[in-house]
Amino acid sequence: MKQPSQDLSRGPSQILSRGPSQILSRGLARITEAALGSYQSAVIRIGFAGTWLFFLLREFPHRQELYGPDGPWDWNMGRRLTLDNHAFTALMWSSGQLWFECLYALAILASAALLLGWRTRTASVLFMVGVLSLQNRSVFVGDGGDNVLHLMAIYLVFTRCGQVWSLDARRKAREQRISTDWTGLALWTVLGFVLVVTTAAGRLFDSAWLIPVLLWAAWVGLALWWLVQRLVRSAEPRILLDVIANVLHNGALVVIMAEACLIYATAGWYKIQGSRWQDGTAVYYPLHLDYFSPWPGLADLMSTSGTILMVVAYGTVIVQVAFPFTLLNRRVKNVLLVLLMMEHFVIAIVLGLPFFSLAMITADAVFLPTSFLRRVGAFATRARGRFGKGGGEDGTVPAPRAPEDSTPGRVGFTA
């Protein structure tokens, strides 16, 4: 039997080692040449920014009691706590009412900008500052959804989450050549001035070093990227910066997925150890707490059947424990993903925890199939063309073209 020529020219060890080396090289090329999961990162950008924005707007009449300097957890108590746990919060830079109002407004504007994908790089940093400043100011008014949002706000800074479904992507598609981004320059200058002043005053590094260093690194990185894009003629520096950005983006997505799996795994295994979950009665008790009963009639209807309560309790534990293991099988993963989202939807309505549920559904969305998200985007485009001003005679507009993963995108200050 005739053997392939490559088998005649290579030894057995070389033939066996060729496979793993090819797999490794392909894997390295995949994570360095492209920012993967552009649709998934856009979904989590929109989801978390929208969750925080809606929360800030709903609590706007109660903002003083939650985070204000004269609230029950006053400024001096918050100051002592942050000095002890070294948490970052810009609200501790001043005890004035004007400073609080400005920072609360900044948090709203940054959330709206990130939701729309306007100047996504800068908006993600300001979004993180707003989330950390308000949540670390009063740590006792949050819930599990706030903890998830707290972590994801940091991870989003490392992602290239504005490649699709954003104003940045639309602006990039319309521009035929690289022009001076005066808006980006103005934002960069103002934020740099704030960083210099707060650092010189000793306010910025008053907390742990991680967030201040991240703010400075983002500011310097944007300047370096802008300079290389416009002043350096060689392509190698631009390719290098693009590779670094892709690696950071892909690494952040992996961390986000691992965080979601860890949340469900720990929640499920802790439930297994609880006696109320073991006998199937754990769901009954929160349904009869006034704080978690916005619809008492609906809660009573669900708690009248012991079978329903047992099925919900056991089903919740099974789905949460099994979900991390189902990532190896796409079809089973998609089924459990739907069940998890339905569970959080029910929690939002029955227990009155809409923002917790929105945060968890958004975290789940990182596992949604790309084909499904593309169909959703195409449907939204057709709907916009049918009811908006951009449609033709038949009410349709061409679907936006997703950025090619292997092609480095246009780089600006905040694109």
Side-chain angles (χ1 to χ4, degrees):
M1 184 176 180
K2 187 177 180 179
Q3 299 293 331
S5 60
Q6 63 178 3
D7 293 345
L8 298 176
S9 60
R10 293 180 174 86
S13 61
Q14 292 176 322
I15 296 174
L16 293 175
S17 62
R18 185 171 180 269
S21 64
Q22 285 184 340
I23 295 175
L24 180 60
S25 62
R26 290 175 182 175
L28 289 176
R30 185 171 176 81
I31 64 176
T32 57
E33 292 179 356
L36 305 176
S38 56
Y39 288 93
Q40 287 81 358
S41 60
V43 169
I44 61 177
R45 182 200 87 228
I46 295 171
F48 286 118
T51 300
W52 185 239
L53 176 62
F54 296 152
F55 174 80
L56 294 178
L57 293 177
R58 192 195 73 169
E59 300 298 338
F60 187 82
H62 312 289
R63 65 191 185 281
Q64 298 293 339
E65 292 80 3
L66 290 175
Y67 309 113
D70 298 327
W73 188 258
D74 62 21
W75 189 87
N76 291 323
M77 297 170 67
R79 180 65 175 172
R80 289 197 296 268
L81 179 62
T82 54
L83 289 176
D84 182 61
N85 60 15
H86 303 288
F88 173 84
T89 170
L91 284 176
M92 292 295 102
W93 297 351
S94 174
S95 60
Q97 181 65 29
L98 179 60
W99 175 247
F100 165 73
E101 297 291 351
C102 291
L103 195 57
Y104 197 93
L106 176 64
I108 292 177
L109 295 176
S111 301
L114 189 62
L115 174 66
L116 298 175
W118 184 80
R119 310 290 170 176
T120 312
R121 296 182 185 275
T122 300
S124 63
V125 176
L126 295 178
F127 177 76
M128 178 191 68
V129 171
V131 170
L132 298 185
S133 297
L134 292 174
Q135 288 190 355
N136 289 335
R137 166 64 177 85
S138 300
V139 296
F140 301 109
V141 299
D143 55 21
D146 293 309
N147 295 333
V148 173
L149 184 63
H150 190 106
L151 295 172
M152 297 302 177
I154 300 176
Y155 301 152
L156 278 175
V157 175
F158 297 93
T159 64
R160 308 180 78 171
C161 55
Q163 291 188 323
V164 296
W165 297 347
S166 67
L167 296 180
D168 288 342
R170 173 183 291 186
R171 186 178 71 251
K172 176 184 172 182
R174 290 180 175 178
E175 292 180 356
Q176 301 298 326
R177 62 183 181 85
I178 298 177
S179 58
T180 303
D181 187 3
W182 296 109
T183 304
L185 283 171
L187 287 173
W188 182 85
T189 302
V190 172
L191 295 179
F193 175 78
V194 173
L195 284 176
V196 171
V197 171
T198 53
T199 302
R203 299 290 189 182
L204 186 61
F205 285 88
D206 197 18
S207 58
W209 59 270
L210 177 60
I211 301 301
V213 169
L214 180 58
L215 294 176
W216 271 106
W219 185 74
V220 174
L222 291 175
L224 178 63
W225 212 327
W226 186 84
L227 291 173
V228 169
Q229 182 71 17
R230 286 161 176 80
L231 301 182
V232 179
R233 296 182 178 180
S234 176
E236 284 77 7
R238 293 195 296 270
I239 295 175
L240 176 61
L241 292 179
D242 199 68
V243 167
I244 295 175
N246 290 335
V247 171
L248 291 176
H249 168 90
N250 296 329
L253 276 187
V254 171
V255 172
I256 291 173
M257 290 188 288
E259 189 75 36
C261 291
L262 183 62
I263 291 172
Y264 284 122
T266 53
W269 286 107
Y270 272 111
K271 286 182 175 67
I272 290 177
Q273 303 174 43
S275 59
R276 295 290 178 264
W277 289 96
Q278 293 175 7
D279 59 28
T281 61
V283 180
Y284 175 85
Y285 297 99
L287 291 176
H288 290 80
L289 294 176
D290 293 337
Y291 185 79
F292 296 110
S293 298
W295 313 100
L298 182 59
D300 292 338
L301 180 62
M302 292 186 61
S303 60
T304 53
S305 174
T307 303
I308 294 179
L309 293 177
M310 186 181 67
V311 170
V312 171
Y314 275 77
T316 299
V317 174
I318 293 173
V319 170
Q320 289 183 349
V321 173
F323 179 73
F325 301 99
T326 62
L327 298 182
L328 301 176
N329 188 296
R330 183 180 60 182
R331 293 183 178 179
V332 178
K333 181 263 295 182
N334 291 338
V335 172
L336 290 190
L337 193 60
V338 172
L339 293 177
L340 286 172
M341 290 185 173
M342 290 177 59
E343 174 191 348
H344 290 300
F345 181 76
V346 173
I347 290 174
I349 296 177
V350 177
L351 298 183
L353 297 173
F355 298 108
F356 165 78
S357 298
L358 279 175
M360 292 307 303
I361 290 175
T362 302
D364 297 339
V366 73
F367 299 103
L368 288 174
T370 302
S371 58
F372 170 76
L373 294 176
R374 284 178 174 174
R375 287 195 295 269
V376 171
F379 174 79
T381 301
R382 289 194 298 269
R384 184 183 63 183
R386 185 174 295 111
F387 299 105
K389 297 180 179 180
E393 294 180 357
D394 59 349
T396 61
V397 292
R401 183 174 180 269
E404 294 292 340
D405 286 342
S406 59
T407 304
R410 173 182 176 273
V411 180
F413 259 98
T414 53

